[in-house]
Amino acid sequence: MTSTKYSYQKGAQSERTVMKYLERHGWICFRSAGSGKHGKIDVICIKKGKVILLDVKYRITINYVAYENEHLQYLKSIYENHGVDVYLVAKVKYLPKFYFMHIKDVQISSGSMTTLNDRDFRERGIPIDRFIELY
């Protein structure tokens, strides 16, 4: 099994894990298959007229996620121009569960990439169970 194939499978599995959890709490979720190559959104969720978009990452061996700034700007534009809530969702090495960080709380770095680590998600994000309570 190649590294790329393994990464894709872990990413898809993580998206499905988040979806199942949200679906158990009343959300309808749709996964954008191949979102890493063909689209910019991993999961679309709907509940009682509320729509949220998710970008899901899973990094069990490291404590950070790197995002292309162009991608983050695109996600911010969806939130700012269309009023749709967008969350970066991550499970990294030192986080016990998936954390949700709203795109408005993301500080984009200079250069081409922004790196968010476990502390960033703890400080500016919320764990999945708290997310469910809020929605």
Side-chain angles (χ1 to χ4, degrees), residues 42-57:
D42 294 330
V43 179
I44 302 163
C45 305
I46 305 167
K47 181 178 180 182
K48 297 181 182 176
K50 177 77 174 168
V51 176
I52 60 169
L53 306 178
L54 307 179
D55 184 300
V56 182
K57 302 289 186 232

Side-chain angles (χ1 to χ4, degrees), residues 10 16 27 30 33 39 44 49 51 69-70 76 93 105 109-111 114-115 122 124 127 131:
K10 289 304 285 182
R16 289 185 192 102
W27 289 89
F30 304 93
I44 302 163
V51 176
N69 287 347
E70 182 179 336
K76 277 195 180 226
K93 185 174 183 178
D105 298 323
S109 304
S110 60
T114 295
T115 301
R122 281 193 172 113
R124 290 182 265 152
F131 178 85

Side-chain angles (χ1 to χ4, degrees), residues 33-114:
S35 55
K37 295 178 183 178
H38 308 295
K40 300 188 185 239
I41 303 300
D42 294 330
V43 179
I44 302 163
C45 305
I46 305 167
K47 181 178 180 182
K48 297 181 182 176
K50 177 77 174 168
V51 176
I52 60 169
L53 306 178
L54 307 179
D55 184 300
V56 182
K57 302 289 186 232
Y58 181 82
R59 305 286 189 271
I60 198 64
T61 59
I62 55 177
N63 73 328
Y64 66 89
V65 180
Y67 297 90
E68 291 182 7
N69 287 347
E70 182 179 336
H71 179 62
L72 293 176
Q73 290 290 1
Y74 173 76
L75 297 177
K76 277 195 180 226
S77 74
I78 292 173
Y79 170 66
E80 292 167 354
N81 297 330
H82 302 286
V84 175
D85 287 319
V86 179
Y87 285 87
L88 302 181
V89 181
K91 166 64 181 95
V92 296
K93 185 174 183 178
Y94 299 118
L95 292 178
K97 55 184 91 175
F98 284 96
Y99 269 67
F100 287 60
M101 184 187 303
H102 198 286
I103 193 68
K104 74 180 184 313
D105 298 323
V106 174
Q107 299 165 351
I108 299 176
S109 304
S110 60
S112 62
M113 301 292 285
T114 295

